[in-house]
Amino acid sequence: MNQNNDRLTSSEIANLWTHYIRETMGICMSKYMLKIVQDPEIHKIFQTAHELAEKHINKLKEWFHQENFPVPKGFSEEDVNLDAPPLFTDLFCLNYIHIMTMHGGQAYSLALTVSIRQDIRDFYYQCNIDSMNLYNQSIEILMAKKLLDKPPHYSTPDKIHFINTLDYVTDVFGNHRTMNAVECGNVYFNLKKSLITKGCLIAFKQVCKDKGVNKFLEKCINVANKHIGTFTTLLLKEDLHLPHTFESEITNSNVAPFSDKLMLFHSGFLFAAAISYYGSAAIASMRADIALQCEKAILDDLLVYSSFGKLIIKKNWMEQPPNADDRKIIHK
């Protein structure tokens, strides 16, 4: 039994189970990045990320054993080919881990807020700190190398202003007011995230051998392009600058460093994360047309995620999450 003498709740089980699978995927990614990255500073941050992930996995396994809970399969050495030549440049790798620390921080924060047991809360508290430290390291390297894409700067207001007309919110057609700082920040961030996602998708499609997965990746790229076009247009209409693209940071290698299963799962993960961020942007947007575009993006990504779910189940690559007891069957 566990030291707290408390059974795991469904939320705690869900987070530990999901965390294990995603962390094993991250370990495969970091192992490969460590093999191909040449820059010592970027290599160091991947080394730190890898060590933290291994530490997290060991703790997760410890809990699974204490609870007599089957350890998920997740991803392993069979899902990564360390002999594959570089598929990404160092610049892409650095931006990739920068974005992934954001995803990690969001997931760890949510896991903390739905956990009851103190040992699990302490664990996710530390995971949050680890993720923030990695984020700080990645952004410091980007800034030192003058590679960081900063969101647009806004002029400092001369005084406090209040909204005095509903047109500020409801004007969908015609002449829109300028984007406020909250809207601009969300649009820019979602565009930046979509550009990294597209880079991953292009790389995966380039080396993927499975026809079904390749077709799915093509669909993902088309949707990513649509969203990139939408958010690019919103910024350009305001005469605001855009983040850099990453197509040129993908090499011409056609040797897969990852299994088709991992590349499919990773792509699904990126779209699941996007749904969450688009939702936050939609809620924060006070210009109706921007909120509408975010909602359309959510619908697009939900359709992609539905296709992902069907395909990964069809391939027999999807582990089943823990289920509630079926009392009807037990009664029989």
Side-chain angles (χ1 to χ4, degrees):
M1 291 295 291
N2 63 69
Q3 60 183 3
N4 293 47
N5 199 29
D6 290 325
R7 291 177 60 190
L8 291 171
T9 67
S10 57
S11 297
E12 291 164 342
I13 291 172
N15 284 311
L16 296 176
W17 183 86
T18 303
H19 185 179
Y20 185 90
I21 294 175
R22 290 180 179 176
E23 198 79 81
T24 54
M25 179 194 75
I27 287 175
C28 291
M29 295 295 295
S30 63
K31 279 183 177 179
Y32 175 68
M33 300 298 194
L34 284 169
K35 192 77 174 180
I36 66 170
V37 166
Q38 300 295 315
D39 186 286
E41 290 181 291
I42 303 174
H43 191 276
K44 183 178 179 181
I45 192 173
F46 274 101
Q47 185 63 48
T48 302
H50 181 71
E51 291 171 358
L52 288 171
E54 291 282 8
K55 184 177 72 172
H56 295 165
I57 285 295
N58 289 336
K59 186 61 182 177
L60 292 169
K61 283 182 177 178
E62 180 184 321
W63 272 318
F64 289 136
H65 292 315
Q66 286 177 355
E67 301 293 331
N68 295 318
F69 196 97
V71 178
K73 178 177 174 59
F75 297 92
S76 63
E77 292 180 356
E78 66 186 27
D79 294 297
V80 58
N81 175 17
L82 299 180
D83 293 325
L87 183 58
F88 310 102
T89 66
D90 283 9
L91 175 60
F92 183 91
C93 293
L94 177 57
N95 279 276
Y96 169 84
I97 197 167
H98 177 62
I99 294 295
M100 291 304 287
T101 59
M102 298 179 188
H103 294 327
Q106 183 194 46
Y108 296 146
S109 296
L110 179 60
L112 173 64
T113 58
V114 297
S115 297
I116 305 299
R117 273 176 40 176
Q118 183 176 344
D119 56 342
I120 296 179
R121 284 186 283 117
D122 290 344
F123 172 69
Y124 280 116
Y125 178 84
Q126 185 60 49
C127 285
N128 268 297
I129 294 174
D130 294 341
S131 182
M132 288 187 288
N133 286 338
L134 276 176
Y135 174 83
N136 283 337
Q137 291 175 40
S138 67
I139 204 168
E140 288 295 334
I141 296 172
L142 283 165
M143 291 175 67
K145 294 181 179 296
K146 301 187 185 305
L147 297 172
L148 180 66
D149 285 324
K150 295 182 179 180
H153 293 285
Y154 271 39
S155 299
T156 303
D158 55 351
K159 61 180 181 179
I160 295 172
H161 295 273
F162 289 90
I163 299 171
N164 55 21
T165 172
L166 288 177
D167 288 346
Y168 190 92
V169 177
T170 59
D171 186 15
V172 179
F173 305 103
N175 295 321
H176 302 299
R177 60 165 174 79
T178 57
M179 236 188 272
N180 64 38
V182 175
E183 294 158 347
C184 177
N186 280 313
V187 168
Y188 189 88
F189 169 71
N190 278 302
L191 176 56
K192 185 176 179 179
K193 175 185 56 59
S194 295
L195 292 170
I196 282 287
T197 294
K198 181 183 175 183
C200 286
L201 296 170
I202 289 174
F204 292 163
K205 187 177 186 302
Q206 185 171 295
V207 299
C208 176
K209 304 306 179 188
D210 186 282
K211 291 183 179 179
V213 176
N214 204 283
K215 185 177 180 180
F216 170 76
L217 291 170
E218 183 175 357
K219 179 179 181 179
C220 291
I221 292 171
N222 290 336
V223 172
N225 280 331
K226 178 182 177 181
H227 298 168
I228 289 168
T230 296
F231 294 118
T232 293
T233 299
L234 285 170
L235 290 172
L236 289 178
K237 283 185 177 179
E238 307 282 334
D239 296 317
L240 298 171
H241 71 263
L242 308 174
H244 290 91
T245 60
F246 293 98
E247 290 89 342
S248 61
E249 306 306 323
I250 309 302
T251 73
N252 61 359
S253 173
N254 63 359
V255 180
F258 312 110
S259 66
D260 291 337
K261 171 187 170 183
L262 187 147
M263 292 187 288
L264 174 60
F265 183 87
H266 199 330
S267 302
F269 163 76
L270 290 172
F271 273 81
I275 292 169
S276 173
Y277 287 115
Y278 290 147
S280 297
I283 292 169
S285 296
M286 298 185 71
R287 222 174 78 179
D289 65 310
I290 297 176
L292 180 61
Q293 293 296 348
C294 292
E295 290 168 1
K296 287 181 178 179
I298 291 171
L299 180 58
D300 290 338
D301 284 3
L302 283 171
L303 293 173
V304 169
Y305 199 71
S306 175
S307 298
F308 158 75
K310 293 175 183 176
L311 180 58
I312 200 168
I313 291 173
K314 180 181 178 182
K315 296 291 181 183
N316 199 29
W317 290 340
M318 183 65 186
E319 293 184 57
Q320 180 177 301
N323 279 350
D325 293 327
D326 190 331
R327 302 297 175 182
K328 295 178 182 179
I329 293 177
I330 293 173
H331 176 71
K332 293 179 182 178

